Every structure is written in structure tokens, then in C-alpha cells.
């Protein structure tokens, strides 16, 4: 089985399915389809982004018990990263760790078990996770696809990631009154107003100096329409990138607004939900057991700062986690996945799905 996993993973890695190459997305899905004959394959497409939902039987059930979710898009890489290499027990290549090898495992586990299991299970293959998953996973959920529990094979080193921070992007704006730079008392300087506003903000959102499981705020950019020195600027805009923990989900926007003085206006650009599934969830417990059976170690429950497509499941009330093989170099020039852990990943998923 391991040879088969490596062979499918290699085929995926060879295709540069990056967002700059939208024509490659169908190609990578064709490879998956070839492995999945005999199943119902639903094709989805939104804004040119294709994705698949695969299951047994003719009709899609209202709710699957499990969805195995995998993204087959990758971030850009060096040319040689699209030529997979096996060396010293590792498979190197763009997407080896995030997450084409895990996708190969999910496909092969699904293929082996889906027809034998006495509950409905689906395989969901998408091609836009790296750019937000809005036209892949989220679109399928918008179209009514549901599951009791979802597993995304992201790079977690065989840990179970049950929560991730949500994202708020906003602009903070201050307005002033323009004047000649030699007569500043004639105007109102929007940048000084902004400095005052940011000092207030800093008190409520102190700068994180080390890794911390708390809501953090990054000042991302500062702009004014003023382009010269001898003028008092009458506008200033600052962009903020807030990463909030699930506990702050309900209060985060009002917390930002409350932290600022009245003269600063907030324009909300994006609010993406945090990811959260209770660590006492029955399927998390069973997955931990299955991991112990295969590796002799209890899978740790982990948190990460960046979110995945699982947040789209959480948004519609479905539980889910990220769980994938061991590797290194996510989004870097030196990305690899540990081959032994791919076999373990396969055995864990198989054991988990078979004991339900
Ligand atoms: Zn990923």
C-alpha cells in the first residue's frame, strides 16, 4: 500500500496546482478521479474553481457521518520542487507535507473502506484552500453538503488540531483638515489623530513578543493621500490584521471599536470564523485511541494560529479537526513528508473508520 500512496502522491506533486495556474486544478482532480471509479463523483465549480465530492450510491445523503477533506492546491515553489524525490525515508516536493501525500492516503483509505462501512462517508477534494477555500469547501457547504465530523489531512505531525484562530481585517481611519505645512495651527493633522488612536489600541491589544494562545493584533500598513511634505494631511488609514482565539469570537469587533477614541472610524473588511471543536468530542477520543494503537503514542491535541477549511464546517455547525502526517518545511523551499508516518496515517484512518 505504501508504494501506491507514494505513487499517487508523486503524480499530484508533479502538477503545479498553484493559484497562478488555474488550468492545473482540473488536471490534479483527473488523477484523483482515475483512482475512484465505481463511486459517485459530484463535480462542483464556482468562479472557475473545481472541486469534487465522492461517495457510494446514487443519491447524496443529507448528512455524511464523516467527510475526509483534502486540498490539492499548493503555494508556489521552485521549479525543482515539482519533481518529487524520495530520499532517506522522506518524500520531497511542493505539497508533500501540505497536503498532497495526505490526500493520496485519504483517497486510498476511502477507496478501500467506503463500500464496506455501514454509514455514509464522503471524500471531498478541493483546489483553493491556500486562498481561503471559499469556492471549494465553503461552496460545497453552501450547496448543502454536511457531515457530522470532518477530517482535513493538513500537516499536524499526527497531532489532532481542534482549534485555530479567526481573522479580522479592518481599516482604521482618521480625518483632519488640510493646511499649508508652515501653518499647522490652521489645519487638523490626521496622522497625529491616528497616533493617538493607535496608542489607545495598543493598550487593549499589546504587541505579542512570543508565541501565545491569545488574540493578537498586527498593524499591517499606514497610508495617507497626502503625497508632499509641505501640507497638513487630512486623512490617515491604518490596516490591522487581528487573529482572535475562539473565546473572543463574539466580542472581537466590539472590543476593537471600544478600544478606539470616537474620532477614529472602523471599516470592517473581513471576518473569518475561528476553528473550534471540543477536545472531548467522541470522534477525537476515538481518533486518539486509533493513533495509540498504531504508533503507541496518544495523539496530542494541538492548536495552531492559522486556520484551514475546517472553519467552513464549523461555520455551519459541523465539527471537524485537522489531522495529518509528520513532515517539515510547510510553504518553504525544503518541504518533505516522512514516509513511515504516511503508512501510520493510513493505518490510523483505517482503524478509526472501521471501529465506528
Ligand atoms: Zn494545507
Amino acid at each position: 500500500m505504501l508504494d501506491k500512496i507514494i505513487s499517487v502522491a508523486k503524480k499530484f506533486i508533479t502538477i503545479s496546482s498553484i493559484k497562478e495556474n488555474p488550468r492545473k486544478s482540473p488536471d490534479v482532480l483527473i488523477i484523483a478521479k482515475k483512482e475512484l471509479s465505481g463511486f459517485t463523483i459530484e463535480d462542483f465549480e464556482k468562479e472557475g474553481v473545481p472541486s469534487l465530492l465522492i461517495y457510494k450510491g446514487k443519491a447524496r445523503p443529507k448528512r455524511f457521518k464523516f467527510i475526509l477533506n483534502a486540498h490539492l492546491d499548493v503555494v508556489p515553489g521552485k521549479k525543482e520542487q515539482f519533481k518529487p524525490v524520495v530520499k532517506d525515508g522522506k518524500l520531497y516536493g511542493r505539497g508533500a507535507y501540505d497536503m498532497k501525500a495526505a490526500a493520496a492516503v485519504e483517497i486510498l483509505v476511502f477507496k478501500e473502506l467506503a463500500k464496506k462501512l455501514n454509514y455514509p462517508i464522503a471524500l471531498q477534494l478541493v483546489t483553493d484552500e491556500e486562498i481561503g477555500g471559499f469556492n471549494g469547501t465553503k461552496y460545497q457547504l453552501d450547496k448543502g453538503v454536511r457531515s457530522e465530523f470532518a477530517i482535513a489531512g493538513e500537516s499536524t505531525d499526527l497531532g489532532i488540531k481542534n482549534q485555530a484562530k479567526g481573522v479580522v481585517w479592518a481599516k482604521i481611519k482618521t480625518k483632519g483638515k488640510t493646511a499649508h505645512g508652515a501653518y499647522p495651527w490652521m489645519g487638523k493633522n490626521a496622522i497625529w489623530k491616528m497616533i493617538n488612536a493607535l496608542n489607545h489600541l495598543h493598550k487593549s491589544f499589546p504587541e505579542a513578543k512570543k508565541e501565545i494562545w491569545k488574540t493578537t493584533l498586527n498593524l499591517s500598513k499606514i497610508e495617507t493621500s497626502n503625497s508632499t511634505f509641505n501640507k497638513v494631511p487630512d486623512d490617515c488609514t491604518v490596516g490591522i490584521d487581528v487573529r482572535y482565539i475562539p473565546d473572543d469570537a463574539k466580542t472581537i469587533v466590539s472590543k476593537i471599536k471600544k478600544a478606539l477614541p470616537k474620532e477614529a472610524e472602523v471599516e470592517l473588511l473581513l471576518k473569518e470564523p475561528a476553528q473550534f471543536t471540543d477536545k472531548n468530542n467522541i470522534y477525537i477520543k476515538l481518533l486518539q485511541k486509533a493513533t495509540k494503537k498504531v504508533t503507541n503514542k496518544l495523539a496530542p491535541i494541538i492548536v495552531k494560529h492559522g486556520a484551514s477549511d475546517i472553519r467552513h464546517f464549523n461555520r455551519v455547525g459541523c465539527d471537524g479537526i485537522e489531522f495529518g502526517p509528520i513532515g517539515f518545511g510547510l510553504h518553504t523551499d525544503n518541504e518533505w513528508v516522512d514516509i513511515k508516518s504516511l503508512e501510520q496515517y493510513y493505518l490510523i484512518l483505517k482503524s478509526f473508520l472501521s471501529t465506528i
Side-chain angles (χ1 to χ4, degrees), residues 167-344:
V167 183
V168 168
W169 285 353
K171 281 182 177 174
I172 299 168
K173 296 176 182 175
T174 51
K175 295 257 176 283
K177 195 179 141 205
T178 185
H180 190 293
Y183 307 89
W185 55 87
M186 307 274 286
K188 286 200 176 86
N189 190 309
I191 295 179
W192 282 122
K193 281 191 180 181
M194 181 58 80
I195 288 170
N196 177 45
L198 295 182
N199 281 331
H200 278 88
L201 198 62
H202 194 249
K203 276 184 200 139
S204 297
F205 297 92
E207 206 176 343
K209 302 272 198 231
K210 57 176 174 34
E211 185 173 353
I212 191 164
W213 187 247
K214 269 190 175 173
T215 294
T216 60
L217 181 145
N218 172 43
L219 296 178
S220 347
K221 48 183 179 177
I222 181 158
E223 290 164 339
T224 172
S225 66
N226 182 30
S227 58
T228 182
F229 283 92
N230 56 356
K231 195 174 150 189
V232 175
D234 66 351
D235 67 273
C236 184
T237 302
V238 158
I240 57 169
D241 175 13
V242 178
R243 304 300 171 119
Y244 64 92
I245 55 171
D247 281 349
D248 288 349
K250 288 205 173 89
T251 54
I252 186 63
V253 174
S254 64
K255 198 181 166 198
I256 295 167
K257 286 182 177 164
K258 266 190 203 149
L260 290 163
K262 276 209 180 71
E263 59 187 13
E265 188 191 313
V266 179
E267 185 192 338
L268 196 65
L269 301 177
L270 171 104
K271 185 181 177 201
E272 278 300 296
Q275 216 168 282
F276 181 81
T277 294
D278 195 308
K279 66 176 191 304
N280 294 314
N281 176 293
I282 170 86
Y283 300 124
I284 291 185
K285 295 276 177 210
L286 290 170
L287 193 56
Q288 280 186 300
K289 257 194 192 164
T291 308
K292 177 133 199 221
K293 214 166 101 186
V294 173
T295 66
N296 261 323
K297 277 185 250 156
L298 201 68
I301 304 291
I302 56 171
V303 297
K304 269 196 197 164
H305 303 276
S308 73
D309 272 1
I310 290 298
R311 75 187 189 286
H312 298 307
F313 282 93
N314 294 162
R315 198 197 308 251
V316 295
C318 302
D319 285 329
I321 47 112
E322 291 169 49
F323 178 68
I326 297 170
F328 179 81
L330 188 80
H331 295 198
T332 72
D333 293 346
N334 183 32
E335 179 179 353
W336 54 262
V337 68
D338 177 85
I339 289 176
K340 188 171 164 241
S341 84
L342 286 179
E343 188 167 35
Q344 291 176 322

Side-chain angles (χ1 to χ4, degrees), residues 71 73 97-99 129-130 153-155 307-308 322 330-331:
H71 70 83
D73 56 318
Y97 186 34
D98 181 20
M99 54 163 283
E129 193 275 343
E130 296 291 359
E154 297 283 5
S155 25
S308 73
E322 291 169 49
L330 188 80
H331 295 198

